[in-house]
Amino acid sequence: MTTALDLANPDTFPSRRDEDWKYSDVRRLLRTMPPASPVGVVHGGGPFFEHGGDALTFINGRAVGDDHFTAFGDHVVRLRFVSEASETGHTVTATVGARRNSKLIILESHEGAGSAYVAHNRLTIAAASGAEIVRIVLVDEPADALSITQASVTLGAGATFAQTVLTTGAKLQRFETRVKHPGEGTRVRIDGAYLVEESRHADMTTEVDHVGGNGETDQLTKGVVRDAGRGVFQGRIIVREGADGTDARMGHHALITSDRGEVDAKPELEIYADDVSCAHGNTVGALDESALFYMEQRGIPADEAKVLLTEAFLMEVVDRIGHEGARERVRAWLMERL
Amino acid sequence: MLSISNLSVSVSDKPILKGLSLDVPAGEVHAVMGPNGAGKSTLGYALAGRPNYEVTGGSATWRGEDLLDLEPAERAAKGLYLSFQYPVEIPGVPALTFVRAAINAQRKARGEAEMTAPEFLKAAKAAATALKMDFDMLKRPLNVGFSGGEKKRMEVLQMALLQPSMLILDETDSGLDIDALKVVADGVNALRSPERSMLVITHYQRLLDYIRPDRVHVLAGGRIVASGGPELALELEAEGYDKYLEVA
Ligand SMILES: Nc1ncnc2c1ncn2[C@@H]1O[C@H](COP(=O)(O)OP(=O)(O)OP(=O)(O)O)[C@@H](O)[C@H]1O
Ligand SMILES: [Mg+2]
């Protein structure tokens, strides 16, 4: 697939023959253009309602008001992608930016209702130099939905971008983040956690492209797969020629708690510069049997022990969220789903 | 009373316990000694219900109730506590959170009211002080990065808070410095009562100077091959296990 995904053009639907999509075959599930989703009505304020700020809301592909937001100074924006559709498809195009030295917190939610919809969300995020963007994403969609979110992030010198995505997957769900990293003291943290059950599929794909030197990237993704769930992690960090002094760390760790679960991980570090400090770690394993027995011996029933260990495992990602209010909201969200 | 009769246990199809019989009446402390690999830890694991420790024969009852049919957590709620020879690290779960979850899970299983957070904190602080442990350590993930001796103290601290009635101490003395041994022994002795039974697995007479056993048993080749009073431990220390290995 060379052209960008476009729901109106089935020729652009990626299949597993596309290297970047080999674990998330869209074409297997979708061959023709889905009928357009109807106009919808938004209910409630979303999972981040209590955190206030401005709202940038989309329902079934249509913006409720503006389709873009730019922060000057300190801002919180609740970016809501609401799908309430059955067997129809919709595309959103949204833009969010932060001007020089401003600080923006994006509290993003993917709120799905209905069934078997196809959602394609395209998001452009731009942080000017010295700006700080925190992006926190909760994805909650029906088990039979197909959804693809593609965010493209550009950063100015000295900007900070910190992202944390939590998802429970869908029939096929892909969450893509591509960051152009200018170096120059710019810092990126790009984290995620997936908890997939039944026959859900969650794909976390990221690419951080260091085009300038002296930049920093810190990535931690953790996943738990139950039942016949499938987790996909594709993390690519590119350090271009001349991007010396880059400091990049990538970690992906997953637990599979059933015989039928599957995790496909493809961590990639492509380094074309000298004098860089790069490291990556990737582990996929089962819950620690001896820890489980130890907990049971102390009186904690097996099911509860598994939840405690799973929670502890995933919370490492949540603990890295700097914004306290959002962190506690995300923690509660995850606890409800364990 | 803990009553073990003719117990046989295999691990990965390998017979380890081969018809072991042992009674520990209520209120008594019995020591189990024996060479490396004799099956002492296997006995503790089998009584606690560790998966893959397959009971192939015999029985074990606690207060007249069959233990071997119960889930590990159910055995714990009935009062069984195993202090592990190698305590397990639980990443991401603070020690305090863990112990409180254990206490309340046991209480729930017994149909008792939960222990409130203030009640628990007070009890945990008192237990930490008694065991000369830094309370801040209990805020760290359980056993992660703890020294060998700290892990053993942590086992005794959990014991003090859970107040079990049937205690199995698997080499709780190993890895402890001389002062810690005394502190830990005091902690164990504080739990001695007419209702409780204790099985103390150890290689060293020294622990038994502090925790005086009513009976001493020698476990060799998967069976109890000799039993006697506290003097048996002294004799073993002097003479070793040679003569029992022939019997086994
Ligand atoms: N998974 C296993 N597969 C095969 N043999 C095992 C397994 N686990 C334990 N064993 C064997 O069972 C025997 C008894 O082990 P156990 O740990 O009970 O000994 P112990 O008496 O506690 O020894 P120590 O004094 O060294 O602690 C040993 O020979 C050990 O190698
Ligand atoms: Mg042992």
Side-chain angles (χ1 to χ4, degrees):
Chain A
M1 192 199 56
T2 45
T3 44
L5 172 66
D6 176 2
L7 287 191
N9 179 4
D11 289 345
T12 66
F13 297 176
S15 78
R16 67 194 147 80
R17 278 185 291 279
D18 300 293
E19 178 60 25
D20 234 26
W21 294 82
K22 67 176 178 184
Y23 304 121
S24 297
D25 190 339
V26 174
R27 199 177 276 276
R28 191 173 64 84
L29 300 174
L30 189 70
R31 290 174 184 282
T32 56
M33 176 183 160
S37 294
V39 173
V41 179
V42 178
H43 305 284
F48 290 113
F49 181 59
E50 287 158 32
H51 296 274
D54 295 283
L56 188 60
T57 305
F58 298 85
I59 171 143
N60 292 355
R62 294 167 187 84
V64 179
D66 286 340
D67 63 359
H68 63 275
F69 181 89
T70 307
F72 305 84
D74 276 13
H75 275 283
V76 173
V77 63
R78 280 180 289 123
L79 175 57
R80 301 176 63 197
F81 296 99
V82 184
S83 295
E84 210 175 305
S86 289
E87 299 179 28
T88 57
H90 46 269
T91 298
V92 168
T93 305
T95 303
V96 178
R99 293 284 177 90
R100 272 183 94 87
N101 302 323
S102 58
K103 184 173 176 183
L104 174 64
I105 296 170
I106 305 170
L107 300 176
E108 180 177 328
S109 53
H110 294 246
E111 306 163 39
S115 68
Y117 61 75
V118 180
H120 181 208
N121 306 305
R122 291 184 297 209
L123 176 62
T124 304
I125 297 173
S129 58
E132 180 183 342
I133 292 185
V134 174
R135 182 187 184 206
I136 296 167
V137 189
L138 298 177
V139 190
D140 210 351
E141 297 195 291
D144 54 4
L146 194 165
S147 91
I148 297 162
T149 298
Q150 298 178 299
S152 144
V153 182
T154 54
L155 304 170
T160 304
F161 179 71
Q163 167 173 305
T164 307
V165 180
L166 278 90
T167 186
T168 51
K171 182 164 191 172
L172 189 154
Q173 184 186 78
R174 162 94 149 199
F175 201 98
E176 229 179 79
T177 311
R178 295 183 192 274
V179 181
K180 260 278 188 285
H181 198 312
E184 312 295 339
T186 299
R187 285 180 308 166
V188 169
R189 182 171 60 69
I190 188 163
D191 292 352
Y194 55 87
L195 174 65
V196 284
E197 302 180 329
E198 291 156 3
S199 56
R200 285 169 175 259
H201 175 121
D203 172 337
M204 296 235 176
T205 292
T206 62
E207 181 182 284
V208 180
D209 189 358
H210 285 259
V211 295
N214 304 311
E216 194 183 304
T217 293
D218 185 9
Q219 176 168 29
L220 177 66
T221 303
K222 290 190 124 180
V224 172
V225 171
R226 296 172 172 161
D227 311 318
R230 186 173 184 196
V232 176
F233 170 75
Q234 300 189 110
R236 182 185 295 134
I237 295 178
I238 306 165
V239 182
R240 302 269 170 194
E241 204 177 325
D244 297 345
T246 295
D247 184 336
R249 278 180 299 273
M250 179 198 290
H252 168 253
H253 305 285
L255 289 178
I256 303 178
T257 67
S258 69
D259 301 334
R260 294 172 299 148
E262 180 178 335
V263 170
D264 298 290
K266 196 168 74 166
E268 293 175 296
L269 293 178
E270 290 178 24
I271 301 166
Y272 306 102
D274 304 321
D275 185 28
V276 295
S277 158
C278 292
H280 79 277
N282 179 49
T283 58
V284 179
L287 277 175
D288 180 353
E289 294 287 337
S290 54
L292 274 178
F293 171 65
Y294 184 84
M295 296 172 93
E296 290 182 66
Q297 200 302 302
R298 297 296 138 95
I300 302 173
D303 286 346
E304 202 181 314
K306 283 181 188 168
V307 168
L308 265 173
L309 287 178
T310 306
E311 176 192 329
F313 180 77
L314 292 177
M315 283 305 171
E316 188 187 353
V317 171
V318 177
D319 287 340
R320 284 158 59 103
I321 298 174
H323 184 283
E324 191 185 343
R327 182 173 66 238
E328 294 319 307
R329 180 69 200 93
V330 169
R331 191 187 302 281
W333 187 92
L334 187 56
M335 296 283 281
E336 284 163 24
R337 284 158 181 81
L338 281 169
Chain B
M1 159 154 115
L2 172 72
S3 184
I4 305 168
S5 171
N6 216 9
L7 187 70
S8 293
V9 173
S10 290
V11 186
S12 309
D13 289 328
K14 184 181 165 200
I16 307 291
L17 298 185
K18 301 161 186 166
L20 181 146
S21 297
L22 178 64
D23 284 342
V24 188
E28 292 196 5
V29 174
H30 289 203
V32 173
M33 303 181 82
N36 293 131
K40 303 180 298 296
S41 294
T42 302
L43 175 62
Y45 288 145
L47 292 175
R50 183 167 197 145
N52 303 325
Y53 284 69
E54 195 200 343
V55 176
T56 54
S59 66
T61 61
W62 166 237
R63 292 177 172 165
E65 222 181 319
D66 180 14
L67 268 182
L68 303 178
D69 244 10
L70 302 175
E71 293 296 323
E74 293 173 325
R75 301 182 198 199
K78 300 265 182 215
L80 181 79
Y81 185 95
L82 171 65
S83 172
F84 282 54
Q85 181 175 0
Y86 304 107
V88 180
E89 300 189 355
I90 312 287
V93 183
L96 284 172
T97 308
F98 179 89
V99 183
R100 188 161 169 241
I103 290 175
N104 284 332
Q106 290 198 13
R107 287 189 171 204
K108 194 173 158 198
R110 293 193 292 257
E112 299 167 6
E114 286 205 349
M115 196 177 208
T116 64
E119 268 180 297
F120 172 71
L121 221 56
K122 199 169 155 229
K125 281 194 172 138
T129 306
L131 287 163
K132 297 195 165 71
M133 288 170 75
D134 179 8
F135 186 73
D136 280 341
M137 197 165 90
L138 306 183
K139 296 173 183 163
R140 282 164 49 189
L142 181 66
N143 292 333
V144 178
F146 287 23
S147 75
E150 286 168 347
K151 286 179 181 170
K152 294 301 174 77
R153 279 185 212 223
M154 196 59 226
E155 293 293 279
V156 177
L157 178 119
Q158 293 179 63
M159 207 153 78
L161 290 169
L162 286 163
Q163 296 274 312
S165 46
M166 172 66 233
L167 293 78
I168 304 167
L169 276 65
D170 191 356
E171 296 197 28
T172 302
D173 52 336
S174 68
L176 291 177
D177 66 46
I178 297 156
D179 296 334
L181 185 68
K182 179 94 179 57
V183 168
V184 162
D186 287 345
V188 173
N189 283 329
L191 284 166
R192 283 180 95 141
S193 81
E195 299 82 42
R196 290 197 172 94
S197 301
M198 294 191 194
L199 207 52
V200 179
I201 297 168
T202 183
H203 286 295
Y204 305 106
Q205 158 61 31
R206 204 179 52 194
L207 177 71
L208 304 179
D209 285 340
Y210 295 115
I211 305 173
R212 297 286 298 164
D214 296 292
R215 303 276 294 161
V216 175
H217 306 277
V218 180
L219 201 172
R223 266 187 290 265
I224 301 297
V225 293
S227 299
E231 70 288 347
L232 179 55
L234 292 166
E235 181 198 311
L236 291 170
E237 184 127 289
E239 296 171 17
Y241 295 111
D242 277 1
K243 71 178 187 197
Y244 300 107
L245 293 179
E246 283 149 34
V247 178

